[in-house]
Structures are given as C-alpha cells and as structure tokens.
Amino acid sequence: MSQSVSRALSILIALGEDSQSLDDLAGRLGVHKSTVLRLLQTMQAERFVVRDNAHRYSLGARMFELASHALENRDVRTVARPHLSALGAATGQTVHLAAYESGDAVYIDKVDAEQAVRMYSRIGRPAPLHCTAVGKVLVAALPRAEWPAVAARLDFHPFTTRTLRTPEQYLAELELVAAQGFAEDHEEHESFVNCIGVPVRDGIGAVVAAVSISVPDVLLDHDQVLALLPQIRATADAISTELGWDPRRAVTARKG
C-alpha cells in the first residue's frame, strides 16, 4: 500500500475515535507534523476532515455521505445470505432471516435443515408476532410506547398449548426479550419445535432484521437449542458488522 494512503487511512481511523490535534496525529503516526499537515490539508479540501476553532480535526461531511451511500446499497438479505448458510452448515438446522414490514414479521430468507423434518415457514410468509422468536425480537426492538398498540391488534391465536394468550403475557415477554437480547419460541408456534432468535443491526444500531434457528425436539431438546445462542449471536454480529454496526457496542445494545 502507498505510504501516503496508509497514513491518510490511519488519520481517518483515529478521527473516527475522537477529534485530534495535529500533535496528537503526528505522535500517533510517528511522523513529522508537516507530513501530517499536508495530508490533512488535502483531506480538508475534499471535505473528508474538518478543523474547528481549537485547531482540532474531526471527520468531515464527505465521510458521512460515503458511509450513507454504502449502507443504502447493502441489502440485508444479500449481506446475510453467506452467514446464514454458514450457520446452517455448522449446525445442520433450519435458519431464518426475518424483517418487520408494514406491521408484520416476514421471512425474507431461509436455509433449510439437512434433515427432512418439515417447517411451517416459507420465504415471504408472515411470522406470527406473538409466538415466533423473530416476531418477538422485531417487536421488542420497536419503541416501548408502541408495544401496547401492537399487542392490542393481535388475536393471540393459540397455535399450541404454550402459545401466549393475552396482551399482558405478551408485553411481559417483550420486556424479557429486550432485557436479555434474544427471544425464544419454546414450542409456541409449532409443537415439538424450539426456536431462538437474535437481532441484526445497521450502522446506527437500529434493528433491521432477526436471525433465528429452529430445531425439532426429536433432534435437540430445549436446552441444547439454547446452547446454540453464541453461534446465532456471532452470525447476527457478523451480518451487523457488514451493515456498519460496531460489535463493540453490542453488549450495551443488548442491555438496553
């Protein structure tokens, strides 16, 4: 890599952490201030950096424009597909990707399990919000003020004996999902099928999709499905990273 390009990229990375003075940047790069100043002047002319009245440098508007265009062109399904495939291959189980669209959780991709047990889900089909892991994850990501309205319009159809039946139960479940950062479908949608789901985030931290894994209990019991949580989270984090999310903020997001 060109030495100048490498130094310019190092400057941008440093400014992504916090504003910096010329002395700060020169010390970080280990070069003379005049070298750093020439790079900064070039980047400032192209709006990649700005300098304030205290002579400290920060990222400029051009950086945010480019980032915005890049993220707009990153379709979550396209980004997620190789990660979903890898999770499916590693576990041998059914993997789903769902998004919240017009008040519904909709399956937008699916990797079928190696075994031949049939799953209800289909790409393009809505996932019930009250009894699927992806539905719970996506609703829990909405502002809390919107939760009661979502609960009020659900019919709470009892798919199994474990299905949540009341708005009160559902709202309590959403609080749990928000607190722990993942959701379960413990034989609530289909008898003898356990599912666990986690959120996928974009560059500003907004939940744009949910990844889940579904397993018939003839293959894995409930506790064994829960043990897959680290793998599912790693998959969701990898997708989120490609969408611009900083995984270092993931712990904070899950607590929030």
Side-chain angles (χ1 to χ4, degrees):
M1 183 185 295
S2 162
Q3 190 176 57
S4 294
V5 172
S6 178
R7 287 171 176 168
L9 291 175
S10 296
I11 289 171
L12 293 176
I13 291 169
L15 296 182
E17 298 171 2
D18 198 2
S19 63
Q20 307 271 338
S21 69
L22 178 58
D23 288 339
D24 293 334
L25 292 169
R28 181 162 181 155
L29 270 65
V31 298
H32 195 274
K33 288 191 292 184
S34 61
T35 300
V36 178
L37 181 60
R38 285 195 298 271
L39 292 170
L40 286 168
Q41 289 172 335
T42 300
M43 289 190 285
Q44 187 174 2
E46 297 294 334
R47 298 189 295 116
F48 283 98
V49 303
V50 294
R51 189 181 68 171
D52 62 22
N53 291 333
H55 303 291
R56 295 183 67 83
Y57 292 87
S58 303
L59 293 179
R62 179 64 64 83
M63 287 295 299
F64 298 105
E65 291 171 8
L66 292 176
S68 177
H69 289 314
L71 293 175
E72 286 173 1
N73 292 327
R74 299 292 280 171
D75 172 69
V76 64
R77 186 176 184 273
T78 301
V79 171
R81 183 65 191 185
H83 299 287
L84 303 180
S85 297
L87 180 61
T91 63
Q93 307 303 331
T94 301
V95 179
H96 296 104
L97 183 71
Y100 194 71
E101 299 177 357
S102 303
D104 289 316
V106 179
Y107 294 113
I108 59 175
D109 205 354
K110 178 182 180 181
V111 175
D112 286 310
E114 295 175 356
Q115 39 73 26
V117 178
R118 176 184 175 275
M119 291 288 174
Y120 170 87
S121 58
R122 295 288 185 276
I123 296 175
R125 176 177 287 179
L129 297 179
H130 66 298
C131 61
T132 61
V134 292
K136 294 175 186 178
V137 165
L138 294 169
V139 175
L142 298 174
R144 276 179 169 77
E146 296 181 20
W147 292 0
V150 174
R153 66 178 173 81
L154 297 180
D155 63 5
F156 293 97
H157 176 76
F159 288 91
T160 76
T161 57
R162 290 182 177 271
T163 305
L164 299 177
R165 304 296 181 89
T166 68
E168 292 75 20
Q169 288 178 319
Y170 185 54
L171 292 173
E173 183 79 354
L174 293 179
E175 289 288 356
L176 176 63
V177 172
Q180 66 188 12
F182 69 93
E184 287 190 71
D185 161 10
H186 185 11
E187 300 184 27
E188 298 167 45
H189 187 210
E190 297 181 81
S191 296
F192 313 116
V193 174
N194 289 295
C195 181
I196 189 166
V198 297
V200 172
R201 299 178 183 275
D202 65 11
I204 62 172
V207 174
V208 293
V211 173
S212 71
I213 192 165
S214 300
V215 189
D217 64 5
V218 295
L219 299 176
L220 298 176
D221 63 26
H222 176 249
D223 289 340
Q224 289 173 314
V225 175
L226 278 179
L228 297 174
L229 179 59
Q231 289 176 266
I232 304 167
R233 275 186 165 158
T235 297
D237 286 348
I239 299 168
S240 300
T241 297
E242 287 203 43
L243 293 173
W245 172 242
D246 184 349
R248 290 175 297 182
R249 301 197 298 255
V251 173
T252 301
R254 286 167 190 152
K255 291 179 179 178

